[in-house]
Amino acid sequence: MTNQDLPTLHSWVSVPKNSDFTIYNLPFGIFQSKRLSARVGIAIGDKIVDLSVLHEEGFFADLTQLPHDIFLRDALNDFIALGKPVTRRVREKVQELLLDTNDALKEHTCRGKAMVNRTEAQMLMPVKVGDYTDFYSSIEHATNVGTMFRDPNNALLPNWKHLPVGYHGRASSIIPSGVPIYRPKGQYKDPNMEVPEFGPSRRLDFELEMAFIVGKTTKMGDSVSTDQAEDHIFGMVLFNDWSARDIQAWEYVPLGPFLGKSFASSISPWVVTMEALEHFRVKGPEQDVPVLPYLACEADHAFDIQLEVFIQPEESTASKVCTSNFKYMYWNIAQQLAHHTINGCNVNVGDMMASGTISGSTPDSFGSMLELAWKGTKPLTLEEGVERKFIEDGDTVIMKGFCEKEGIRIGFGEVSSKVLPAK
Amino acid sequence: MTNQDLPTLHSWVSVPKNSDFTIYNLPFGIFQSKRLSARVGIAIGDKIVDLSVLHEEGFFADLTQLPHDIFLRDALNDFIALGKPVTRRVREKVQELLLDTNDALKEHTCRGKAMVNRTEAQMLMPVKVGDYTDFYSSIEHATNVGTMFRDPNNALLPNWKHLPVGYHGRASSIIPSGVPIYRPKGQYKDPNMEVPEFGPSRRLDFELEMAFIVGKTTKMGDSVSTDQAEDHIFGMVLFNDWSARDIQAWEYVPLGPFLGKSFASSISPWVVTMEALEHFRVKGPEQDVPVLPYLACEADHAFDIQLEVFIQPEESTASKVCTSNFKYMYWNIAQQLAHHTINGCNVNVGDMMASGTISGSTPDSFGSMLELAWKGTKPLTLEEGVERKFIEDGDTVIMKGFCEKEGIRIGFGEVSSKVLPAK
């Protein structure tokens, strides 16, 4: 994998300055509208290319592996399962068709039908998630949490630098941007309580994460090497791993987080492909403890993705509360997938694996309210003087992510979700 | 729900003495054979009733909600989703047709086609599992583990009697009885090791569990009460929660079990319905710490299901190593489902929720090798003098479960899986 200069490309579709959806990006998603059933699209500027129309009109005629209705499904799984040689070629073909030097689509009678306004589309879940795994791969986040809840001098547990710690999460409650969530109810027991109490969580939090989507199914007993791993990954999304800190703190020993997480996780709906991310590949942090051979990497598997979190209280303006970067991750996605399958665990197309909270080293780069407001001891002051220790009812949490280098920008759009009072 | 005497029923199908599949049971499963594609069947004696044949011949004509191909699917999910009024009526109709006083099927020309020999059928996964959850609901098991690894005087953690501790598991690697598993590889670090080492697990274990299958989909934000819970449960299976103790011990802090479990879980393929289990409903153990109102139960939700585990080394005979009972569970299935959804987590038809290891109070009732051989300190002696601390390559682990009362027996058949060497 090389990190070479990209040629300069221009599209006949007008792309607003600072758009995440440039001709270099071309992410895949599932959309529907008042007149259109769920289908596969590619975003460019403020438009969505309806791939079902292009396919119907014969633009993919040379790709004989494409079933006739492959773009009229309500999830990308079947498309992704066709394999990278096919999915990559579809994206390249769309890129060719969108170039300002190419009239084939621009001047075609189907152009009006093929180009849908993003404002008229509702984005759905891009994939059916079979299994969802959450890692814990930011050393800054793990250190912050260990410092707060255990021992500042031994913040990291002994296994942390030897393997990418992870756990299974709930797949059913992963929802796309725009779907509101209900504040979860549950048990909590603060140190001052004799017995646990029950009610709506008082410490609702976000976690700034990214997730990759598995692109290739493996069999039980098989493992994926770090070298092969990215070939098994289709693309990435932004991931808000909603967390109820009070519920989590009481329930999580000894078997890990459960109801403190399972009520909802929100994702950005456009899947940015590994091909689009290629230009933003960077070296990750030095791993200062030697890893076992199955976790060693020949190549770089980190990506320079700038991340931001905003909180928008009801009837107020949005405030940026965090600026972080995916490249801070101590454990990379190749190591995560290699570790996940080293025991022979089979993975399926559409499985989602999230990074864990992505914190940086400075306080403004911490990826959760738990860390930003340091367990409630340092409330954040937002625009218009609003204070926050955790997330309140009516707040909307917005996460954004984008890559920028040498005048080229690609991005993830956003994952935005409003918190409704407990039901 | 009542626990009244069942009428005496006789079938024209010969049912061997001690068969699990009596006319009182009639569990659902998915089977295929050399000449038949995957389809829905009901077990009786040594036969399987091919429901697709009965449907084709009009035996379910009064059930207008049944799609014409509902029994020609490769999973029960769509059938279960029709709801209990329908699934219950199908089972009752089959029971009527199998009575020796009923000639409708017995004398029908389709009888030969409708009744398949179980020996000629291959059993498949009964459902597509969306999400899988594992609880930790046996007080004896939790106490044994806490005693071994933490503090004999405080074996149970503070939350244990206040909520049914649980965690998310891996759905993709749940497999039916008969499918062999590979010994998992991974990292472990024994106390005497300076750094973790890598290799095939040296402490492969089974866990004797049962699992229920969710029968009704709920929405995010909604909760299921203990009163309603059994109406949301379709039926149960035996569940072997394979565990690699050395991998688990090193990886599990602070986020719980991951690769020590995710390589495989094996289930019995016949789903015994809650209707069949009704006759064996009993009172569960006293809960000596008051529970929060959402976990309180009006009715009894425990079931008297006798459980056995056998180990059969390669080229040796099977030895019974454990005799336990599902009724020992401190937390019942209604409490588990109520707890799982109290935070608004949505559940889907086909989701599987396992009990956790079912240990009793006597050493011969412990549901794992970890407990039976007490962390390797008390090796078991099997038939022919074979010793076992954990499970060896070539061993087959067989779990059986059945209910017996007043001459009436229903059972789960078995979950049997052979361990192959690491790949």
Side-chain angles (χ1 to χ4, degrees), chain B residues 145-292:
Chain B
V145 173
T147 300
M148 271 186 260
F149 292 102
R150 284 183 298 268
D151 176 2
N153 297 313
N154 291 289
L156 291 183
L157 287 165
N159 58 14
W160 202 91
K161 287 193 174 180
H162 293 281
L163 53 84
V165 169
Y167 66 105
H168 303 291
R170 182 83 193 171
S172 71
S173 54
I174 302 178
I175 49 177
S177 181
V179 178
I181 69 157
Y182 294 98
R183 177 177 297 273
K185 293 171 290 186
Q187 290 193 28
Y188 39 78
K189 186 176 172 298
D190 297 345
N192 63 316
M193 295 173 184
E194 283 280 316
V195 291
E197 297 180 7
F198 175 83
S201 168
R202 295 109 2 109
R203 295 187 204 128
L204 181 62
D205 201 355
F206 62 80
E207 289 194 336
L208 168 64
E209 307 197 8
M210 298 202 64
F212 66 80
I213 292 169
V214 170
K216 224 185 233 187
T217 291
T218 64
K219 285 190 187 146
M220 280 178 73
D222 287 351
S223 304
V224 178
S225 69
T226 54
D227 259 12
Q228 303 165 322
E230 282 194 33
D231 199 38
H232 288 249
I233 297 174
F234 177 72
M236 301 197 72
V237 293
L238 302 169
F239 194 99
N240 181 352
D241 180 23
W242 292 103
S243 301
R245 299 299 179 192
D246 42 0
I247 296 173
Q248 186 184 349
W250 170 233
E251 75 176 355
Y252 94 106
V253 283
L255 300 180
F258 183 41
L259 302 191
K261 301 273 191 178
S262 64
F263 58 95
S265 307
S266 303
I267 66 167
S268 57
W270 290 105
V271 185
V272 176
T273 63
M274 297 317 291
E275 290 80 15
L277 289 169
E278 183 56 44
H279 186 59
F280 304 95
R281 185 183 294 277
V282 290
K283 204 172 159 53
E286 204 64 45
Q287 296 192 319
D288 56 0
V289 167
V291 296
L292 282 159

Side-chain angles (χ1 to χ4, degrees), chain B residues 10-318:
Chain B
H10 293 286
S11 176
W12 50 264
V13 180
S14 114
V15 176
K17 198 172 144 61
N18 284 331
S19 172
D20 283 347
F21 304 125
T22 62
I23 192 162
Y24 301 98
N25 191 354
L26 305 181
F28 290 89
I30 300 289
F31 73 100
Q32 66 182 17
S33 73
K34 273 183 191 154
R35 39 180 205 92
L36 300 175
S37 61
R39 60 195 56 207
V40 178
I42 277 184
I44 179 151
D46 296 333
K47 298 283 184 182
I48 298 172
V49 186
D50 182 338
L51 296 194
S52 76
V53 174
L54 299 197
H55 196 21
E56 199 184 304
E57 296 290 342
F59 285 106
F60 303 122
D62 56 328
L63 280 162
T64 52
Q65 310 96 316
L66 284 179
H68 75 281
D69 62 345
I70 190 71
F71 298 123
L72 289 170
R73 315 261 166 110
D74 64 356
L76 291 169
N77 299 55
D78 295 339
F79 173 63
I80 295 172
L82 296 173
K84 286 220 184 190
V86 176
T87 58
R88 189 185 292 133
R89 187 71 198 101
V90 166
R91 183 172 161 277
E92 285 168 359
K93 181 73 197 175
V94 172
Q95 194 171 52
E96 284 162 39
L97 290 170
L98 293 173
L99 285 177
D100 59 2
T101 51
N102 190 325
D103 284 345
L105 176 59
K106 185 181 172 188
E107 305 294 344
H108 198 282
T109 51
C110 80
R111 173 175 160 178
K113 200 178 161 197
M115 306 300 291
V116 178
N117 290 328
R118 279 211 287 126
T119 51
E120 286 163 30
Q122 182 196 0
M123 297 306 299
L124 306 176
M125 278 292 290
V127 287
K128 285 204 198 314
V129 182
D131 277 287
Y132 152 55
T133 300
D134 195 23
F135 285 95
Y136 187 56
S137 290
S138 153
I139 196 165
E140 290 84 2
H141 172 67
T143 303
N144 285 339
V145 173
T147 300
M148 271 186 260
F149 292 102
R150 284 183 298 268
D151 176 2
N153 297 313
N154 291 289
L156 291 183
L157 287 165
N159 58 14
W160 202 91
K161 287 193 174 180
H162 293 281
L163 53 84
V165 169
Y167 66 105
H168 303 291
R170 182 83 193 171
S172 71
S173 54
I174 302 178
I175 49 177
S177 181
V179 178
I181 69 157
Y182 294 98
R183 177 177 297 273
K185 293 171 290 186
Q187 290 193 28
Y188 39 78
K189 186 176 172 298
D190 297 345
N192 63 316
M193 295 173 184
E194 283 280 316
V195 291
E197 297 180 7
F198 175 83
S201 168
R202 295 109 2 109
R203 295 187 204 128
L204 181 62
D205 201 355
F206 62 80
E207 289 194 336
L208 168 64
E209 307 197 8
M210 298 202 64
F212 66 80
I213 292 169
V214 170
K216 224 185 233 187
T217 291
T218 64
K219 285 190 187 146
M220 280 178 73
D222 287 351
S223 304
V224 178
S225 69
T226 54
D227 259 12
Q228 303 165 322
E230 282 194 33
D231 199 38
H232 288 249
I233 297 174
F234 177 72
M236 301 197 72
V237 293
L238 302 169
F239 194 99
N240 181 352
D241 180 23
W242 292 103
S243 301
R245 299 299 179 192
D246 42 0
I247 296 173
Q248 186 184 349
W250 170 233
E251 75 176 355
Y252 94 106
V253 283
L255 300 180
F258 183 41
L259 302 191
K261 301 273 191 178
S262 64
F263 58 95
S265 307
S266 303
I267 66 167
S268 57
W270 290 105
V271 185
V272 176
T273 63
M274 297 317 291
E275 290 80 15
L277 289 169
E278 183 56 44
H279 186 59
F280 304 95
R281 185 183 294 277
V282 290
K283 204 172 159 53
E286 204 64 45
Q287 296 192 319
D288 56 0
V289 167
V291 296
L292 282 159
Y294 81 92
L295 289 171
C297 297
E298 292 280 324
D300 295 330
H301 297 286
F303 295 91
D304 183 358
I305 305 172
Q306 302 180 51
L307 300 167
E308 299 172 330
V309 184
F310 301 81
I311 298 175
Q312 177 160 16
E314 199 136 44
E315 292 167 27
S316 180
T317 50

Side-chain angles (χ1 to χ4, degrees), chain A residues 93-122:
Chain A
K93 181 74 197 173
V94 171
Q95 194 172 51
E96 285 163 38
L97 290 170
L98 294 172
L99 286 177
D100 59 2
T101 51
N102 189 325
D103 283 346
L105 175 58
K106 186 180 171 189
E107 304 294 344
H108 198 281
T109 51
C110 80
R111 173 175 159 177
K113 199 177 162 198
M115 307 299 291
V116 178
N117 290 327
R118 279 211 287 126
T119 51
E120 287 162 30
Q122 183 198 358

Side-chain angles (χ1 to χ4, degrees), chain A residues 131 159 162 168 170-172 185 187 196 220 222 250 253 255 259 262-263 292 294 339 343 346 351 423, chain B residues 131 159 162 168 170-172 185 187 196 220 222 250 253 256 259 262-263 292 294 339 343 346 351 423:
Chain A
D131 277 287
N159 58 14
H162 293 281
H168 302 291
R170 183 84 193 170
S172 71
K185 292 171 291 185
Q187 290 193 27
M220 280 179 74
D222 286 351
W250 170 232
V253 282
L255 300 180
L259 302 191
S262 65
F263 57 95
L292 283 160
Y294 80 92
H339 183 62
N343 68 341
N346 57 325
D351 286 351
K423 214 171 171 179
Chain B
D131 277 287
N159 58 14
H162 293 281
H168 303 291
R170 182 83 193 171
S172 71
K185 293 171 290 186
Q187 290 193 28
M220 280 178 73
D222 287 351
W250 170 233
V253 283
L259 302 191
S262 64
F263 58 95
L292 282 159
Y294 81 92
H339 183 62
N343 69 341
N346 58 324
D351 286 352
K423 215 172 168 178

Side-chain angles (χ1 to χ4, degrees), chain A residues 90-365:
Chain A
V90 165
R91 184 172 162 276
E92 284 167 359
K93 181 74 197 173
V94 171
Q95 194 172 51
E96 285 163 38
L97 290 170
L98 294 172
L99 286 177
D100 59 2
T101 51
N102 189 325
D103 283 346
L105 175 58
K106 186 180 171 189
E107 304 294 344
H108 198 281
T109 51
C110 80
R111 173 175 159 177
K113 199 177 162 198
M115 307 299 291
V116 178
N117 290 327
R118 279 211 287 126
T119 51
E120 287 162 30
Q122 183 198 358
M123 297 306 299
L124 306 177
M125 278 292 290
V127 286
K128 285 205 198 315
V129 182
D131 277 287
Y132 153 55
T133 301
D134 195 23
F135 285 95
Y136 187 57
S137 290
S138 154
I139 195 165
E140 291 84 2
H141 172 67
T143 304
N144 286 338
V145 173
T147 299
M148 271 185 261
F149 292 101
R150 282 182 298 268
D151 176 2
N153 297 315
N154 291 289
L156 291 182
L157 287 166
N159 58 14
W160 202 92
K161 287 191 173 181
H162 293 281
L163 54 84
V165 169
Y167 66 105
H168 302 291
R170 183 84 193 170
S172 71
S173 55
I174 302 178
I175 50 177
S177 181
V179 177
I181 69 156
Y182 295 98
R183 177 176 296 272
K185 292 171 291 185
Q187 290 193 27
Y188 38 78
K189 186 175 172 297
D190 297 345
N192 64 317
M193 295 173 184
E194 283 279 314
V195 291
E197 296 180 6
F198 176 82
S201 167
R202 295 108 4 109
R203 295 186 205 127
L204 181 63
D205 201 355
F206 61 81
E207 289 194 336
L208 169 63
E209 306 196 9
M210 298 202 63
F212 66 80
I213 291 170
V214 170
K216 223 185 235 186
T217 291
T218 64
K219 285 190 189 146
M220 280 179 74
D222 286 351
S223 304
V224 178
S225 69
T226 55
D227 260 11
Q228 304 164 322
E230 282 194 33
D231 199 39
H232 289 250
I233 297 174
F234 177 71
M236 299 197 72
V237 294
L238 301 169
F239 194 99
N240 181 354
D241 180 23
W242 292 103
S243 301
R245 298 299 179 192
D246 42 0
I247 296 172
Q248 187 184 347
W250 170 232
E251 75 176 356
Y252 93 107
V253 282
L255 300 180
F258 183 42
L259 302 191
K261 301 274 190 177
S262 65
F263 57 95
S265 307
S266 302
I267 65 167
S268 57
W270 290 106
V271 185
V272 175
T273 63
M274 297 317 291
E275 290 80 17
L277 290 169
E278 182 58 42
H279 187 56
F280 305 95
R281 186 184 294 277
V282 290
K283 204 172 158 53
E286 203 64 46
Q287 297 192 320
D288 55 1
V289 167
V291 296
L292 283 160
Y294 80 92
L295 289 171
C297 297
E298 292 279 325
D300 294 331
H301 298 285
F303 295 91
D304 183 358
I305 305 171
Q306 302 180 51
L307 300 167
E308 299 173 330
V309 184
F310 301 81
I311 298 175
Q312 177 159 16
E314 199 136 43
E315 292 167 26
S316 181
T317 50
S319 301
K320 192 199 284 192
V321 296
C322 165
T323 306
S324 189
N325 196 304
F326 186 59
K327 72 181 175 188
Y328 299 154
M329 303 306 289
Y330 187 89
W331 294 102
N332 64 50
I333 57 176
Q335 292 174 313
Q336 288 167 345
L337 186 56
H339 183 62
H340 205 310
T341 56
I342 191 62
N343 68 341
C345 175
N346 57 325
V347 298
N348 289 311
V349 166
D351 286 351
M352 207 167 265
M353 301 194 185
S355 56
T357 308
I358 305 162
S359 294
S361 55
T362 57
D364 64 344
S365 67

